[in-house]
Amino acid sequence: MIGGLGGFFLPIAFGALNDLTDVWSSCFMLLFVIVAACLAWMHVAILRMEQARALAEQAAVSPAE
């Protein structure tokens, strides 16, 4: 489903950016922004997952008194 949305919205966004900026490489700039945002989101998600696992392991090793 996400691929379908990307296939629908990205060509429209590429054309709009080309019309607004008159720079043919603006589509690659948009792709860079999207990839950078996804990379940051994935990094935060992995950090939260590792922190939750560490807290669960800590609670299992030393139960509350």
Side-chain angles (χ1 to χ4, degrees):
M1 178 159 173
I2 299 298
L5 290 174
F8 180 76
F9 286 111
L10 284 178
I12 295 170
F14 292 164
L17 276 174
N18 189 22
D19 287 343
L20 291 172
T21 62
D22 288 330
V23 176
W24 284 99
S25 60
S26 62
C27 63
F28 296 110
M29 296 174 201
L30 175 63
L31 283 177
F32 174 77
V33 169
I34 292 171
V35 168
C38 289
L39 179 66
W41 185 9
M42 182 178 67
H43 180 68
V44 169
I46 289 172
L47 286 178
R48 286 183 181 175
M49 184 175 57
E50 288 178 349
Q51 184 181 22
R53 185 184 333 164
L55 288 174
E57 288 177 359
Q58 183 181 11
V61 171
S62 60
E65 296 176 37

